[in-house]
């Protein structure tokens, strides 16, 4: 009888351990969620933008919304994390590689264009979205209809973004480039006529232009100045995580959740997104 009780106790302990592991997320999603101090997958930390309407926005009540947020939540779910186990951390453009390399975040889902320079420091999954660089100007401005019109004008973008350098080096070398920490500062400058145009991805610009407070103030020029494939940044060499994130992205497209997120976040702005791109990273 004593032996039976011991066996039963051991079995119960094993079952309890398995249950605890399941509640904390998949045991093979990595050593921890990033910035947890080894808390055994209590949470996953994901870098997003906090100031991009339609993509990654933190509201005054502490909630998060946008297409990147929806993608991040879907991927986290597929990795075994419940919504309450996700911690969103602000990932400004210039700090994304550092956040990943330092282990402050597990993933970055923050309008993060895949390019060779960044791939020297981090790996990507995806892409999960294809945007194009465009210009946002004041609604009554008819002087800017092509990139070359930016020469001698004040152009604003965010420090660390690819868009500003693309214009400065390839399209309008005589543009007076102003770089600020966030797009909100650029938008204020545009409204106040401190700058003449704001350049970044059309998806980001559409989000700002569609905000209630900005309706009628600005317009997109409709120029497709570049291709901007958004990827999910992760630590270099973590091929296991890369494979799992890619699988999650493919599933999101296949089950219709991707299109649903596109319609919900970009539809109100009248912005027509490209179809879901093919996964190229890690293949």
């Amino acid at each position: 009888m004593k032996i039976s009780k011991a066996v039963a106790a051991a079995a119960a302990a094993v079952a309890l351990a398995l249950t605890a592991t399941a509640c904390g997320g998949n045991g093979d999603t990595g050593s921890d969620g990033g910035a947890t101090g080894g808390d055994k997958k209590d949470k996953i930390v994901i870098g997003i933008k906090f100031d991009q309407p339609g993509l990654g926005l933190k509201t005054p009540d502490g909630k998060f919304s946008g297409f990147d947020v929806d993608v991040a939540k879907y991927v986290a779910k597929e990795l075994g994390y419940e919504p309450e186990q996700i911690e969103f951390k602000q990932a400004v453009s210039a700090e994304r590689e550092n956040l990943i390399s330092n282990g402050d975040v597990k993933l970055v889902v923050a309008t993060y264009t895949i390019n060779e320079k960044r791939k020297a420091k981090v790996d990507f999954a995806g892409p999960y979205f294809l945007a194009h660089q465009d210009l946002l100007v004041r609604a009554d401005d008819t002087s800017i209809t092509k990139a070359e019109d930016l020469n001698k004008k004040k152009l604003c973008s965010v420090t660390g973004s690819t868009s500003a350098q693309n214009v400065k080096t390839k399209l309008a070398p005589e543009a007076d480039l102003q770089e600020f920490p966030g797009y909100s500062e650029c938008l204020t400058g545009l409204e106040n006529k401190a700058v003449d145009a704001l350049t970044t991805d059309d998806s980001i610009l559409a989000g700002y232009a569609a905000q209630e407070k900005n309706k009628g103030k600005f317009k997109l020029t409709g120029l497709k100045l570049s291709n901007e494939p958004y990827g999910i940044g992760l630590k270099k060499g973590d091929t296991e995580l890369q494979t799992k994130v890619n699988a999650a992205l493919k599933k999101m497209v296949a089950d219709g959740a991707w299109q649903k997120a596109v319609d919900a976040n970009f539809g109100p702005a009248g912005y027509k997104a490209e179809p879901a791109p093919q996964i190229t990273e890690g293949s």
Side-chain angles (χ1 to χ4, degrees):
M1 182 64 71
K2 289 181 180 180
I3 294 176
S4 298
K5 286 183 178 181
V7 171
V14 170
L16 184 60
L18 290 172
T19 301
T21 301
C23 291
N26 276 347
D28 57 359
T29 57
S31 58
D32 59 58
T36 63
D39 286 343
K40 299 180 181 178
K41 295 176 290 302
D42 287 336
K43 64 183 177 182
I44 183 169
V45 184
I46 302 177
I48 62 168
K49 292 295 179 68
F50 279 16
D51 66 342
Q52 290 181 353
L55 286 152
L57 184 68
K58 183 179 182 180
T59 56
D61 60 1
K63 295 182 180 179
F64 300 93
S65 65
F67 180 71
D68 280 353
V69 175
D70 290 343
V71 171
K73 287 179 178 178
Y74 190 98
V75 169
K77 178 192 70 174
E78 291 301 307
L79 292 177
Y81 295 92
E82 297 297 325
E84 61 271 17
Q85 292 176 288
I86 302 171
E87 177 185 331
F88 287 122
K89 187 177 183 70
Q90 187 172 23
V92 298
S93 295
E95 289 298 317
R96 290 175 294 200
E97 286 88 29
N98 289 336
L99 288 171
I100 295 169
S101 298
N102 295 339
D104 296 322
V105 299
K106 194 74 170 177
L107 304 170
V108 167
V109 191
T111 59
Y112 201 6
T113 298
I114 300 169
N115 62 36
E116 292 305 315
K117 182 178 179 181
R118 289 169 177 165
K119 286 168 68 171
K121 299 178 180 179
V122 301
D123 280 341
F124 287 94
Y128 63 91
F129 191 82
L130 179 61
H132 302 283
Q133 185 180 349
D134 200 358
L135 304 175
L136 190 72
V137 299
R138 289 180 290 277
D140 60 355
D141 188 347
T142 58
S143 67
I144 301 174
T145 59
K146 58 185 183 297
E148 292 78 7
D149 293 334
L150 292 170
N151 284 312
K152 308 295 186 183
K153 290 185 179 289
K154 292 182 179 179
L155 172 68
C156 192
S157 195
V158 169
T159 305
S161 74
T162 57
S163 300
Q165 295 307 317
N166 185 47
V167 170
K168 186 69 177 174
T169 58
K170 299 178 183 177
L171 304 172
E174 295 181 43
D176 181 5
L177 180 60
Q178 313 280 318
E179 292 185 283
F180 294 137
Y183 293 108
S184 298
E185 293 94 327
C186 282
L187 205 68
T188 299
L190 183 59
E191 183 174 5
N192 296 337
K193 299 187 177 181
V195 298
D196 299 301
L198 163 57
T199 187
T200 188
D201 305 345
D202 50 9
S203 56
I204 298 171
L205 297 176
Y208 280 114
Q211 281 188 297
E212 192 65 36
K213 64 180 180 180
N214 293 329
K215 285 183 178 178
K217 293 182 180 180
F218 310 107
K219 64 182 179 182
L220 276 77
T221 58
L223 302 174
K224 293 185 177 182
L225 302 176
S226 68
N227 292 327
E228 304 293 336
Y230 292 166
I232 296 181
L234 50 96
K235 201 156 193 174
K236 195 158 187 66
D238 196 342
T239 55
E240 184 179 359
L241 179 60
Q242 183 185 49
T243 298
K244 290 177 179 178
V245 174
N246 278 336
L249 294 175
K250 290 176 183 177
K251 183 178 177 181
M252 187 177 186
V253 173
D255 69 12
W258 184 90
Q259 189 61 52
K260 184 178 179 181
V262 167
D263 294 342
N265 292 292
F266 299 128
Y271 168 69
K272 297 185 183 298
E274 297 274 8
Q278 293 295 312
I279 302 291
T280 59
E281 301 306 300
S283 58

Short mmCIF file of all heavy atoms in Angstrom, two decimals, residues 125-171:
data_model
loop_
_atom_site.label_atom_id
_atom_site.label_comp_id
_atom_site.label_asym_id
_atom_site.label_seq_id
_atom_site.Cartn_x
_atom_site.Cartn_y
_atom_site.Cartn_z
N ALA A 125 12.10 37.02 -39.53
CA ALA A 125 11.11 36.09 -40.05
C ALA A 125 10.21 36.92 -40.97
O ALA A 125 10.07 38.12 -40.80
CB ALA A 125 10.29 35.47 -38.93
N GLY A 126 9.60 36.25 -41.95
CA GLY A 126 8.72 36.98 -42.86
C GLY A 126 9.32 37.09 -44.25
O GLY A 126 10.11 36.24 -44.66
N PRO A 127 8.93 38.15 -44.97
CA PRO A 127 8.12 39.30 -44.54
C PRO A 127 6.64 38.96 -44.37
O PRO A 127 6.16 37.98 -44.91
CB PRO A 127 8.33 40.30 -45.68
CG PRO A 127 8.56 39.45 -46.89
CD PRO A 127 9.34 38.26 -46.39
N TYR A 128 5.94 39.85 -43.63
CA TYR A 128 4.52 39.65 -43.40
C TYR A 128 3.69 40.78 -44.00
O TYR A 128 2.45 40.74 -43.96
CB TYR A 128 4.23 39.55 -41.90
CG TYR A 128 4.55 40.79 -41.10
CD1 TYR A 128 3.59 41.79 -40.90
CD2 TYR A 128 5.82 40.98 -40.56
CE1 TYR A 128 3.90 42.93 -40.18
CE2 TYR A 128 6.12 42.11 -39.83
CZ TYR A 128 5.17 43.09 -39.64
OH TYR A 128 5.47 44.23 -38.93
N PHE A 129 4.37 41.79 -44.58
CA PHE A 129 3.65 42.91 -45.18
C PHE A 129 4.59 43.64 -46.14
O PHE A 129 5.80 43.72 -45.89
CB PHE A 129 3.18 43.89 -44.09
CG PHE A 129 2.21 44.94 -44.58
CD1 PHE A 129 0.86 44.64 -44.70
CD2 PHE A 129 2.63 46.21 -44.92
CE1 PHE A 129 -0.04 45.59 -45.16
CE2 PHE A 129 1.75 47.17 -45.37
CZ PHE A 129 0.40 46.87 -45.49
N LEU A 130 4.04 44.13 -47.25
CA LEU A 130 4.83 44.91 -48.21
C LEU A 130 4.26 46.31 -48.32
O LEU A 130 3.15 46.51 -48.81
CB LEU A 130 4.84 44.23 -49.58
CG LEU A 130 5.62 44.98 -50.67
CD1 LEU A 130 7.10 45.11 -50.28
CD2 LEU A 130 5.49 44.26 -52.02
N ALA A 131 5.03 47.27 -47.84
CA ALA A 131 4.65 48.68 -47.95
C ALA A 131 5.55 49.35 -49.00
O ALA A 131 6.47 48.74 -49.53
CB ALA A 131 4.81 49.37 -46.60
N HIS A 132 5.25 50.60 -49.29
CA HIS A 132 6.05 51.38 -50.22
C HIS A 132 6.31 52.75 -49.62
O HIS A 132 5.44 53.32 -48.97
CB HIS A 132 5.34 51.55 -51.56
CG HIS A 132 4.98 50.27 -52.23
ND1 HIS A 132 5.89 49.50 -52.91
CD2 HIS A 132 3.80 49.61 -52.30
CE1 HIS A 132 5.29 48.41 -53.38
NE2 HIS A 132 4.02 48.45 -53.02
N GLN A 133 7.50 53.27 -49.85
CA GLN A 133 7.78 54.61 -49.36
C GLN A 133 6.95 55.63 -50.12
O GLN A 133 6.77 55.55 -51.34
CB GLN A 133 9.27 54.93 -49.52
CG GLN A 133 9.65 56.28 -48.91
CD GLN A 133 11.12 56.60 -49.08
OE1 GLN A 133 11.89 55.73 -49.46
NE2 GLN A 133 11.49 57.83 -48.79
N ASP A 134 6.45 56.61 -49.39
CA ASP A 134 5.65 57.66 -50.00
C ASP A 134 5.93 58.98 -49.28
O ASP A 134 6.75 59.03 -48.35
CB ASP A 134 4.16 57.31 -49.92
CG ASP A 134 3.31 58.08 -50.93
OD1 ASP A 134 3.86 58.93 -51.66
OD2 ASP A 134 2.09 57.84 -50.98
N LEU A 135 5.24 60.02 -49.68
CA LEU A 135 5.37 61.33 -49.07
C LEU A 135 4.02 61.79 -48.56
O LEU A 135 2.99 61.58 -49.22
CB LEU A 135 5.88 62.36 -50.09
CG LEU A 135 7.20 62.07 -50.80
CD1 LEU A 135 7.46 63.14 -51.86
CD2 LEU A 135 8.35 62.01 -49.82
N LEU A 136 4.02 62.42 -47.40
CA LEU A 136 2.82 63.06 -46.88
C LEU A 136 3.06 64.57 -46.91
O LEU A 136 4.09 65.05 -46.42
CB LEU A 136 2.54 62.61 -45.44
CG LEU A 136 1.19 63.03 -44.86
CD1 LEU A 136 0.07 62.24 -45.49
CD2 LEU A 136 1.17 62.83 -43.34
N VAL A 137 2.13 65.29 -47.52
CA VAL A 137 2.25 66.74 -47.62
C VAL A 137 0.96 67.38 -47.12
O VAL A 137 -0.04 66.70 -46.89
CB VAL A 137 2.54 67.19 -49.07
CG1 VAL A 137 3.87 66.60 -49.55
CG2 VAL A 137 1.41 66.77 -50.01
N ARG A 138 0.97 68.69 -46.97
CA ARG A 138 -0.26 69.37 -46.58
C ARG A 138 -1.28 69.28 -47.70
O ARG A 138 -0.92 69.27 -48.89
CB ARG A 138 0.05 70.83 -46.23
CG ARG A 138 0.83 70.99 -44.92
CD ARG A 138 1.13 72.44 -44.60
NE ARG A 138 2.11 73.02 -45.52
CZ ARG A 138 3.42 72.89 -45.38
NH1 ARG A 138 3.92 72.21 -44.35
NH2 ARG A 138 4.25 73.44 -46.25
N ALA A 139 -2.52 69.22 -47.34
CA ALA A 139 -3.59 68.99 -48.31
C ALA A 139 -3.64 70.04 -49.41
O ALA A 139 -4.04 69.75 -50.54
CB ALA A 139 -4.94 68.91 -47.59
N ASP A 140 -3.22 71.27 -49.09
CA ASP A 140 -3.31 72.34 -50.08
C ASP A 140 -2.00 72.57 -50.83
O ASP A 140 -1.88 73.52 -51.62
CB ASP A 140 -3.73 73.65 -49.40
CG ASP A 140 -2.75 74.09 -48.31
OD1 ASP A 140 -1.80 73.32 -48.02
OD2 ASP A 140 -2.94 75.18 -47.74
N ASP A 141 -1.02 71.69 -50.62
CA ASP A 141 0.29 71.85 -51.27
C ASP A 141 0.29 71.13 -52.62
O ASP A 141 0.12 69.91 -52.68
CB ASP A 141 1.38 71.29 -50.37
CG ASP A 141 2.79 71.58 -50.89
OD1 ASP A 141 2.94 72.00 -52.05
OD2 ASP A 141 3.75 71.38 -50.12
N THR A 142 0.49 71.89 -53.68
CA THR A 142 0.53 71.30 -55.02
C THR A 142 1.94 71.34 -55.61
O THR A 142 2.15 71.03 -56.78
CB THR A 142 -0.42 72.05 -55.97
OG1 THR A 142 -0.05 73.44 -56.01
CG2 THR A 142 -1.86 71.93 -55.50
N SER A 143 2.93 71.74 -54.79
CA SER A 143 4.29 71.92 -55.30
C SER A 143 5.11 70.64 -55.29
O SER A 143 6.19 70.59 -55.88
CB SER A 143 5.02 72.99 -54.48
OG SER A 143 5.25 72.54 -53.15
N ILE A 144 4.61 69.59 -54.63
CA ILE A 144 5.36 68.33 -54.54
C ILE A 144 4.54 67.21 -55.16
O ILE A 144 3.57 66.74 -54.58
CB ILE A 144 5.71 68.00 -53.08
CG1 ILE A 144 6.53 69.12 -52.44
CG2 ILE A 144 6.49 66.67 -53.01
CD1 ILE A 144 6.78 68.94 -50.96
N THR A 145 4.93 66.81 -56.34
CA THR A 145 4.23 65.72 -57.03
C THR A 145 5.17 64.58 -57.40
O THR A 145 4.74 63.53 -57.84
CB THR A 145 3.55 66.23 -58.32
OG1 THR A 145 4.55 66.81 -59.19
CG2 THR A 145 2.49 67.29 -57.99
N LYS A 146 6.47 64.80 -57.23
CA LYS A 146 7.48 63.77 -57.49
C LYS A 146 8.64 63.97 -56.54
O LYS A 146 8.78 65.04 -55.93
CB LYS A 146 7.94 63.80 -58.95
CG LYS A 146 8.51 65.12 -59.40
CD LYS A 146 8.83 65.08 -60.89
CE LYS A 146 9.50 66.39 -61.37
NZ LYS A 146 8.61 67.55 -61.21
N ALA A 147 9.46 62.96 -56.40
CA ALA A 147 10.54 63.01 -55.41
C ALA A 147 11.50 64.16 -55.65
O ALA A 147 11.97 64.81 -54.71
CB ALA A 147 11.30 61.68 -55.42
N GLU A 148 11.79 64.46 -56.91
CA GLU A 148 12.74 65.52 -57.23
C GLU A 148 12.28 66.88 -56.73
O GLU A 148 13.09 67.79 -56.52
CB GLU A 148 12.98 65.57 -58.74
CG GLU A 148 13.73 64.37 -59.31
CD GLU A 148 12.84 63.14 -59.47
OE1 GLU A 148 11.61 63.26 -59.27
OE2 GLU A 148 13.38 62.05 -59.76
N ASP A 149 10.98 67.04 -56.53
CA ASP A 149 10.46 68.31 -56.04
C ASP A 149 10.90 68.61 -54.61
O ASP A 149 10.72 69.73 -54.12
CB ASP A 149 8.92 68.31 -56.09
CG ASP A 149 8.39 68.28 -57.52
OD1 ASP A 149 9.12 68.74 -58.42
OD2 ASP A 149 7.26 67.80 -57.72
N LEU A 150 11.47 67.63 -53.93
CA LEU A 150 11.92 67.82 -52.56
C LEU A 150 13.26 68.55 -52.47
O LEU A 150 13.64 69.01 -51.40
CB LEU A 150 12.04 66.47 -51.85
CG LEU A 150 10.73 65.73 -51.59
CD1 LEU A 150 11.01 64.32 -51.11
CD2 LEU A 150 9.89 66.48 -50.57
N ASN A 151 13.98 68.66 -53.58
CA ASN A 151 15.22 69.41 -53.58
C ASN A 151 14.95 70.85 -53.13
O ASN A 151 14.00 71.49 -53.59
CB ASN A 151 15.87 69.41 -54.97
CG ASN A 151 16.53 68.08 -55.29
OD1 ASN A 151 17.29 67.54 -54.48
ND2 ASN A 151 16.24 67.53 -56.45
N LYS A 152 15.78 71.31 -52.19
CA LYS A 152 15.66 72.65 -51.60
C LYS A 152 14.51 72.78 -50.61
O LYS A 152 14.28 73.84 -50.05
CB LYS A 152 15.51 73.74 -52.69
CG LYS A 152 16.56 73.71 -53.78
CD LYS A 152 17.95 74.01 -53.25
CE LYS A 152 18.96 74.11 -54.40
NZ LYS A 152 20.34 74.33 -53.89
N LYS A 153 13.75 71.71 -50.41
CA LYS A 153 12.66 71.75 -49.44
C LYS A 153 13.05 70.99 -48.18
O LYS A 153 13.97 70.18 -48.18
CB LYS A 153 11.38 71.16 -50.05
CG LYS A 153 10.76 72.02 -51.15
CD LYS A 153 9.44 71.45 -51.62
CE LYS A 153 8.81 72.32 -52.70
NZ LYS A 153 8.32 73.60 -52.14
N LYS A 154 12.30 71.24 -47.11
CA LYS A 154 12.58 70.60 -45.84
C LYS A 154 11.80 69.28 -45.73
O LYS A 154 10.58 69.28 -45.76
CB LYS A 154 12.22 71.53 -44.68
CG LYS A 154 13.13 72.75 -44.59
CD LYS A 154 12.78 73.63 -43.41
CE LYS A 154 13.72 74.82 -43.33
NZ LYS A 154 13.37 75.72 -42.20
N LEU A 155 12.56 68.21 -45.62
CA LEU A 155 12.00 66.87 -45.58
C LEU A 155 12.20 66.28 -44.19
O LEU A 155 13.30 66.31 -43.65
CB LEU A 155 12.68 65.98 -46.62
CG LEU A 155 12.35 64.50 -46.60
CD1 LEU A 155 10.90 64.26 -47.01
CD2 LEU A 155 13.29 63.73 -47.51
N CYS A 156 11.15 65.72 -43.62
CA CYS A 156 11.23 65.16 -42.28
C CYS A 156 11.07 63.65 -42.29
O CYS A 156 10.27 63.10 -43.06
CB CYS A 156 10.13 65.77 -41.39
SG CYS A 156 10.34 65.41 -39.63
N SER A 157 11.86 62.99 -41.45
CA SER A 157 11.67 61.56 -41.21
C SER A 157 12.23 61.23 -39.84
O SER A 157 12.69 62.12 -39.11
CB SER A 157 12.33 60.71 -42.30
OG SER A 157 11.85 59.37 -42.23
N VAL A 158 12.21 59.95 -39.50
CA VAL A 158 12.60 59.51 -38.16
C VAL A 158 14.03 58.99 -38.16
O VAL A 158 14.45 58.29 -39.09
CB VAL A 158 11.62 58.42 -37.67
CG1 VAL A 158 12.14 57.76 -36.42
CG2 VAL A 158 10.27 59.03 -37.41
N THR A 159 14.77 59.34 -37.14
CA THR A 159 16.15 58.88 -36.98
C THR A 159 16.21 57.36 -37.07
O THR A 159 15.47 56.66 -36.40
CB THR A 159 16.71 59.32 -35.62
OG1 THR A 159 16.56 60.73 -35.50
CG2 THR A 159 18.18 58.96 -35.50
N GLY A 160 17.09 56.85 -37.94
CA GLY A 160 17.27 55.41 -38.07
C GLY A 160 16.39 54.76 -39.12
O GLY A 160 16.52 53.56 -39.37
N SER A 161 15.52 55.52 -39.76
CA SER A 161 14.64 54.92 -40.77
C SER A 161 15.37 54.84 -42.11
O SER A 161 16.29 55.61 -42.40
CB SER A 161 13.36 55.75 -40.94
OG SER A 161 13.63 56.95 -41.64
N THR A 162 14.94 53.90 -42.94
CA THR A 162 15.54 53.76 -44.27
C THR A 162 15.01 54.79 -45.24
O THR A 162 15.67 55.14 -46.21
CB THR A 162 15.24 52.35 -44.83
OG1 THR A 162 13.82 52.14 -44.85
CG2 THR A 162 15.90 51.28 -43.99
N SER A 163 13.82 55.31 -44.98
CA SER A 163 13.15 56.20 -45.93
C SER A 163 13.92 57.49 -46.15
O SER A 163 14.10 57.94 -47.30
CB SER A 163 11.74 56.54 -45.43
OG SER A 163 10.96 55.38 -45.30
N ALA A 164 14.36 58.12 -45.08
CA ALA A 164 15.05 59.40 -45.19
C ALA A 164 16.32 59.26 -46.02
O ALA A 164 16.60 60.08 -46.90
CB ALA A 164 15.36 59.94 -43.80
N GLN A 165 17.10 58.23 -45.73
CA GLN A 165 18.36 58.04 -46.44
C GLN A 165 18.11 57.71 -47.91
O GLN A 165 18.90 58.09 -48.79
CB GLN A 165 19.19 56.95 -45.77
CG GLN A 165 19.64 57.31 -44.36
CD GLN A 165 20.37 58.63 -44.28
OE1 GLN A 165 21.21 58.93 -45.13
NE2 GLN A 165 20.06 59.42 -43.26
N ASN A 166 17.05 57.01 -48.19
CA ASN A 166 16.71 56.67 -49.56
C ASN A 166 16.47 57.93 -50.38
O ASN A 166 16.94 58.06 -51.52
CB ASN A 166 15.45 55.78 -49.58
CG ASN A 166 15.12 55.29 -50.97
OD1 ASN A 166 15.98 54.79 -51.70
ND2 ASN A 166 13.86 55.41 -51.36
N VAL A 167 15.73 58.87 -49.82
CA VAL A 167 15.45 60.13 -50.51
C VAL A 167 16.73 60.95 -50.66
O VAL A 167 17.04 61.47 -51.73
CB VAL A 167 14.38 60.94 -49.77
CG1 VAL A 167 14.26 62.35 -50.35
CG2 VAL A 167 13.04 60.24 -49.85
N LYS A 168 17.48 61.06 -49.57
CA LYS A 168 18.66 61.92 -49.54
C LYS A 168 19.75 61.43 -50.49
O LYS A 168 20.42 62.23 -51.16
CB LYS A 168 19.21 61.99 -48.11
CG LYS A 168 20.36 62.96 -47.91
CD LYS A 168 19.93 64.40 -48.06
CE LYS A 168 21.09 65.35 -47.78
NZ LYS A 168 20.74 66.75 -48.05
N THR A 169 19.95 60.13 -50.56
CA THR A 169 21.05 59.60 -51.37
C THR A 169 20.66 59.29 -52.81
O THR A 169 21.51 59.35 -53.70
CB THR A 169 21.62 58.32 -50.73
OG1 THR A 169 20.57 57.35 -50.62
CG2 THR A 169 22.16 58.61 -49.34
N LYS A 170 19.38 58.98 -53.05
CA LYS A 170 19.00 58.52 -54.38
C LYS A 170 18.04 59.44 -55.14
O LYS A 170 18.10 59.53 -56.36
CB LYS A 170 18.34 57.13 -54.28
CG LYS A 170 19.23 56.05 -53.69
CD LYS A 170 18.47 54.74 -53.58
CE LYS A 170 19.32 53.66 -52.92
NZ LYS A 170 18.56 52.39 -52.76
N LEU A 171 17.14 60.10 -54.42
CA LEU A 171 16.04 60.76 -55.09
C LEU A 171 16.11 62.28 -55.10
O LEU A 171 15.82 62.92 -56.11
CB LEU A 171 14.70 60.32 -54.46
CG LEU A 171 14.46 58.81 -54.44
CD1 LEU A 171 13.22 58.49 -53.61
CD2 LEU A 171 14.29 58.29 -55.86
#
